[in-house]
């Protein structure tokens, strides 16, 4: 069983190194968005590039913005399960402020440099204990991609729930607060809990995967 893992905004496979799952993780690296490309179109290109769905036994894992992409991929493939961490399943789970930002079209005109916040502010918003790793990720973030991704986040249209979902949210997440009765809540978990609470998250995933994976 292979799990295609899609990281958060600007992040990469480094955030998955702290997980201890029983199955192989394949990190899906971000590709450059085309001009005016939607998240749906972008997700289809990732499916083609990584041949997601070419085998019957596979799963998806998405963190933060990567959860939106994992959801879009799940809608056009047939994963055994989809894991969302610090993310949302539908547009209705996006908080009101972010939806309002989407309606204003403000992100179309602001400079991309505004998406590179001061480190102290980022540490607070992400609730990161592993500040050095978050700093590395922020320093490596492609701001053009970040601007596209945030715009797609606040304007996401999906209203469809997906099958066989394992959704994990942090009780203290300031960016994408957990919504929905099907969310497993991590006490005092923040947006960077994929790293800071990796063992607890790994245990939850490994336990819940028993529902969807038949033992050999």
């Amino acid at each position: 069983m292979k799990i295609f893992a899609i990281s958060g905004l600007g992040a990469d496979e480094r955030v998955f190194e702290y997980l201890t799952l029983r199955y192989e993780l394949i990190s899906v690296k971000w590709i450059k968005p085309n001009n005016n490309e939607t998240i749906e179109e972008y997700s289809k290109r990732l499916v083609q590039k990584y041949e997601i769905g070419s085998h019957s036994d596979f799963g998806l894992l998405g963190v933060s913005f990567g959860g939106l992409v994992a959801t879009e991929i799940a809608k056009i493939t047939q994963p055994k399960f989809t894991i969302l961490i610090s993310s949302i399943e539908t547009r209705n789970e996006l908080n009101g402020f972010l939806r309002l930002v989407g309606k204003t079209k403000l992100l179309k005109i602001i400079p991309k440099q505004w998406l590179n916040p001061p480190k102290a502010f980022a540490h607070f918003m992400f609730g990161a204990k592993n500040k050095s790793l978050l700093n590395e990720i922020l320093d490596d973030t492609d701001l053009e991609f970040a601007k596209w991704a945030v715009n797609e986040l606040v304007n996401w249209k999906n209203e469809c729930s997906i099958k066989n979902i394992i959704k994990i949210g942090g009780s203290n997440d300031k960016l994408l607060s957990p919504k929905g009765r099907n969310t497993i809540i991590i006490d005092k978990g923040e947006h960077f809990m994929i790293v800071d609470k990796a063992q607890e998250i790994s245990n939850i995933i490994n336990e819940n995967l028993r529902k969807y994976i038949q033992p050999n």
Side-chain angles (χ1 to χ4, degrees):
M1 173 68 67
K2 295 182 178 180
I3 303 175
F4 292 90
I6 309 164
S7 61
L9 175 63
D12 56 31
E13 64 272 11
R14 284 173 287 190
V15 299
F16 301 124
E17 292 176 358
Y18 298 82
L19 296 178
T20 53
L21 304 186
R22 296 175 183 154
Y23 304 95
E24 179 186 1
L25 280 183
I26 299 175
S27 180
V28 175
K29 294 180 172 58
W30 296 121
I31 55 180
K32 183 177 180 179
N34 294 326
N35 290 335
N36 299 314
E37 186 171 34
T38 66
I39 190 173
E40 294 88 352
E41 294 166 338
Y42 184 87
S43 299
K44 288 177 182 177
R45 287 204 294 131
L46 284 180
V47 168
Q48 293 171 351
K49 178 177 175 63
Y50 285 90
E51 298 183 339
I52 301 173
S54 59
H55 300 286
S56 58
D57 289 337
F58 74 96
L60 299 170
L61 186 157
V63 180
S64 189
F65 178 72
L68 278 66
V69 175
T71 298
E72 292 295 340
I73 291 175
K75 287 160 59 177
I76 58 176
T77 61
Q78 293 183 318
K80 291 288 186 183
F81 54 84
T82 302
I83 304 164
L84 303 184
I85 302 172
S86 304
S87 190
I88 57 176
E89 182 184 2
T90 68
R91 174 174 176 77
N92 296 329
E93 295 179 0
L94 195 64
N95 68 54
F97 173 75
L98 291 179
R99 279 188 278 179
L100 179 61
V101 170
K103 290 180 180 179
T104 65
K105 308 298 181 184
L106 182 64
L107 286 168
K108 290 288 187 180
I109 60 174
I110 66 170
K112 63 183 180 182
Q113 287 76 15
W114 287 22
L115 296 172
N116 185 20
K119 295 292 196 301
F121 180 72
H123 296 163
F124 170 73
M125 292 303 296
F126 281 80
K129 295 179 182 178
N130 192 330
K131 294 179 174 62
S132 60
L133 177 60
L134 180 59
N135 288 345
E136 290 175 12
I137 290 172
L138 291 171
D139 288 340
D140 293 341
T141 296
D142 180 338
L143 295 182
E144 288 285 356
F145 176 83
K147 184 174 179 177
W148 171 82
V150 172
N151 185 66
E152 290 303 306
L153 168 67
V154 299
N155 288 289
W156 198 33
K157 300 295 190 293
N158 180 58
E159 296 181 349
C160 300
S161 297
I162 54 178
K163 296 179 181 179
N164 299 343
I165 188 170
I166 301 170
K167 187 162 58 170
I168 306 171
S171 65
N172 294 352
D173 194 321
K174 304 178 191 72
L175 294 175
L176 293 175
S177 55
K179 301 284 181 66
R181 295 181 180 177
N182 61 344
T183 302
I184 300 168
I185 303 295
I186 299 289
D187 185 43
K188 298 180 181 178
E190 301 215 35
H191 200 65
F192 207 54
M193 68 179 187
I194 180 72
V195 172
D196 293 331
K197 291 185 175 289
Q199 190 57 58
E200 185 175 353
I201 290 172
S202 297
N203 292 342
I204 290 171
I205 293 173
N206 286 329
E207 179 64 27
N208 278 270
L209 285 184
R210 294 180 181 179
K211 304 174 189 174
Y212 308 114
I213 301 175
Q214 296 298 322
N216 294 327

Short mmCIF file of all heavy atoms in Angstrom, two decimals, residues 12 14 26-27 34 54 57 59 75 89 91 95-96 109 140 161 167-168 170 176 184-185 189 205:
data_model
loop_
_atom_site.label_atom_id
_atom_site.label_comp_id
_atom_site.label_asym_id
_atom_site.label_seq_id
_atom_site.Cartn_x
_atom_site.Cartn_y
_atom_site.Cartn_z
N ASP A 12 7.43 20.92 2.14
CA ASP A 12 7.86 19.80 1.30
C ASP A 12 7.89 18.54 2.14
O ASP A 12 7.32 18.51 3.24
CB ASP A 12 9.20 20.09 0.63
CG ASP A 12 10.29 20.45 1.64
OD1 ASP A 12 10.24 19.94 2.78
OD2 ASP A 12 11.17 21.24 1.29
N ARG A 14 9.86 17.35 4.09
CA ARG A 14 10.44 17.42 5.44
C ARG A 14 9.39 17.26 6.53
O ARG A 14 9.69 16.73 7.61
CB ARG A 14 11.18 18.76 5.61
CG ARG A 14 12.52 18.81 4.90
CD ARG A 14 13.14 20.19 4.97
NE ARG A 14 12.45 21.14 4.09
CZ ARG A 14 12.90 22.37 3.82
NH1 ARG A 14 14.03 22.79 4.39
NH2 ARG A 14 12.24 23.17 3.01
N ILE A 26 4.80 8.36 -0.39
CA ILE A 26 5.40 8.93 -1.60
C ILE A 26 5.10 10.43 -1.59
O ILE A 26 3.94 10.84 -1.69
CB ILE A 26 4.82 8.28 -2.87
CG1 ILE A 26 5.12 6.78 -2.87
CG2 ILE A 26 5.39 8.95 -4.12
CD1 ILE A 26 4.50 6.04 -4.02
N SER A 27 6.14 11.22 -1.43
CA SER A 27 5.94 12.67 -1.34
C SER A 27 5.64 13.24 -2.73
O SER A 27 6.40 13.04 -3.67
CB SER A 27 7.18 13.33 -0.75
OG SER A 27 6.99 14.73 -0.66
N ASN A 34 0.08 26.81 -13.83
CA ASN A 34 -0.06 27.55 -15.07
C ASN A 34 -0.82 28.85 -14.81
O ASN A 34 -1.48 29.00 -13.79
CB ASN A 34 -0.80 26.71 -16.12
CG ASN A 34 0.00 25.49 -16.54
OD1 ASN A 34 1.23 25.52 -16.61
ND2 ASN A 34 -0.69 24.39 -16.83
N SER A 54 -3.17 4.71 -10.85
CA SER A 54 -2.81 3.67 -11.81
C SER A 54 -2.81 2.28 -11.17
O SER A 54 -2.83 1.27 -11.87
CB SER A 54 -1.43 3.97 -12.43
OG SER A 54 -0.43 4.03 -11.43
N ASP A 57 -4.62 -0.17 -5.16
CA ASP A 57 -4.38 0.01 -3.72
C ASP A 57 -3.49 1.21 -3.46
O ASP A 57 -2.26 1.13 -3.59
CB ASP A 57 -3.74 -1.24 -3.12
CG ASP A 57 -4.72 -2.40 -3.05
OD1 ASP A 57 -5.94 -2.13 -3.03
OD2 ASP A 57 -4.28 -3.55 -3.03
N GLY A 59 -3.52 5.25 -1.10
CA GLY A 59 -4.22 6.22 -0.27
C GLY A 59 -3.65 7.60 -0.50
O GLY A 59 -2.63 7.77 -1.18
N LYS A 75 -11.55 13.04 -5.60
CA LYS A 75 -12.79 13.14 -6.37
C LYS A 75 -12.66 12.55 -7.78
O LYS A 75 -13.66 12.20 -8.39
CB LYS A 75 -13.23 14.61 -6.46
CG LYS A 75 -13.79 15.15 -5.14
CD LYS A 75 -13.77 16.67 -5.06
CE LYS A 75 -14.55 17.33 -6.16
NZ LYS A 75 -14.55 18.82 -6.02
N GLU A 89 -12.29 19.82 4.48
CA GLU A 89 -12.85 18.89 3.49
C GLU A 89 -13.73 19.60 2.48
O GLU A 89 -13.80 19.20 1.32
CB GLU A 89 -13.64 17.82 4.22
CG GLU A 89 -14.23 16.75 3.33
CD GLU A 89 -15.08 15.77 4.12
OE1 GLU A 89 -15.25 15.95 5.35
OE2 GLU A 89 -15.58 14.81 3.50
N ARG A 91 -15.65 23.69 1.34
CA ARG A 91 -15.59 25.14 1.47
C ARG A 91 -16.32 25.62 2.73
O ARG A 91 -15.91 26.61 3.35
CB ARG A 91 -16.22 25.80 0.23
CG ARG A 91 -16.34 27.31 0.34
CD ARG A 91 -16.82 27.95 -0.94
NE ARG A 91 -17.01 29.38 -0.76
CZ ARG A 91 -16.03 30.27 -0.72
NH1 ARG A 91 -14.77 29.86 -0.83
NH2 ARG A 91 -16.27 31.55 -0.54
N ASN A 95 -13.10 29.27 7.47
CA ASN A 95 -13.67 30.28 8.37
C ASN A 95 -14.16 31.51 7.60
O ASN A 95 -13.74 31.77 6.47
CB ASN A 95 -12.70 30.66 9.49
CG ASN A 95 -11.48 31.42 9.00
OD1 ASN A 95 -11.59 32.44 8.32
ND2 ASN A 95 -10.30 30.93 9.34
N GLY A 96 -15.06 32.24 8.21
CA GLY A 96 -15.72 33.36 7.55
C GLY A 96 -14.77 34.44 7.08
O GLY A 96 -14.98 35.03 6.01
N ILE A 109 -4.18 41.53 -6.08
CA ILE A 109 -3.44 42.79 -6.24
C ILE A 109 -2.32 42.99 -5.22
O ILE A 109 -1.45 43.83 -5.43
CB ILE A 109 -4.41 43.99 -6.18
CG1 ILE A 109 -5.15 44.04 -4.85
CG2 ILE A 109 -5.40 43.94 -7.34
CD1 ILE A 109 -6.01 45.27 -4.66
N ASP A 140 12.44 28.74 2.13
CA ASP A 140 12.45 28.04 0.84
C ASP A 140 11.15 28.20 0.06
O ASP A 140 11.02 27.68 -1.05
CB ASP A 140 12.71 26.53 1.06
CG ASP A 140 14.11 26.26 1.58
OD1 ASP A 140 14.97 27.15 1.43
OD2 ASP A 140 14.33 25.17 2.14
N SER A 161 -18.41 16.04 0.12
CA SER A 161 -17.68 15.21 1.07
C SER A 161 -17.10 14.02 0.31
O SER A 161 -17.61 13.62 -0.73
CB SER A 161 -18.62 14.72 2.17
OG SER A 161 -19.12 15.79 2.92
N LYS A 167 -9.90 12.52 9.17
CA LYS A 167 -9.63 13.96 9.27
C LYS A 167 -9.17 14.29 10.68
O LYS A 167 -9.86 14.00 11.65
CB LYS A 167 -10.89 14.74 8.90
CG LYS A 167 -10.67 16.24 8.80
CD LYS A 167 -11.79 16.95 8.03
CE LYS A 167 -13.16 16.73 8.63
NZ LYS A 167 -14.18 17.58 8.01
N ILE A 168 -7.99 14.91 10.78
CA ILE A 168 -7.38 15.18 12.07
C ILE A 168 -7.12 16.68 12.19
O ILE A 168 -6.45 17.26 11.33
CB ILE A 168 -6.05 14.39 12.23
CG1 ILE A 168 -6.28 12.90 11.97
CG2 ILE A 168 -5.46 14.61 13.61
CD1 ILE A 168 -5.00 12.08 11.89
N GLY A 170 -6.31 20.18 14.95
CA GLY A 170 -5.79 20.61 16.24
C GLY A 170 -6.74 21.57 16.94
O GLY A 170 -7.26 22.49 16.31
N LEU A 176 -6.54 27.03 10.17
CA LEU A 176 -7.66 26.24 9.66
C LEU A 176 -8.25 25.46 10.83
O LEU A 176 -7.92 24.28 11.04
CB LEU A 176 -7.21 25.30 8.53
CG LEU A 176 -6.75 25.98 7.23
CD1 LEU A 176 -6.20 24.94 6.25
CD2 LEU A 176 -7.88 26.77 6.59
N ILE A 184 -11.16 14.16 14.04
CA ILE A 184 -10.50 13.68 15.26
C ILE A 184 -9.67 14.85 15.80
O ILE A 184 -8.79 15.36 15.10
CB ILE A 184 -9.61 12.47 14.96
CG1 ILE A 184 -10.44 11.33 14.38
CG2 ILE A 184 -8.86 12.02 16.21
CD1 ILE A 184 -9.60 10.20 13.79
N ILE A 185 -9.94 15.26 17.02
CA ILE A 185 -9.29 16.45 17.57
C ILE A 185 -8.04 16.07 18.37
O ILE A 185 -8.09 15.21 19.26
CB ILE A 185 -10.26 17.24 18.48
CG1 ILE A 185 -11.53 17.63 17.71
CG2 ILE A 185 -9.56 18.48 19.05
CD1 ILE A 185 -11.29 18.59 16.57
N GLY A 189 -3.31 20.79 19.80
CA GLY A 189 -2.62 20.73 18.51
C GLY A 189 -2.76 22.04 17.76
O GLY A 189 -3.83 22.65 17.74
N ILE A 205 -3.48 7.58 12.83
CA ILE A 205 -3.57 7.11 11.44
C ILE A 205 -3.43 5.60 11.37
O ILE A 205 -4.24 4.91 10.72
CB ILE A 205 -2.50 7.79 10.57
CG1 ILE A 205 -2.81 9.30 10.44
CG2 ILE A 205 -2.44 7.15 9.18
CD1 ILE A 205 -1.71 10.09 9.75
#
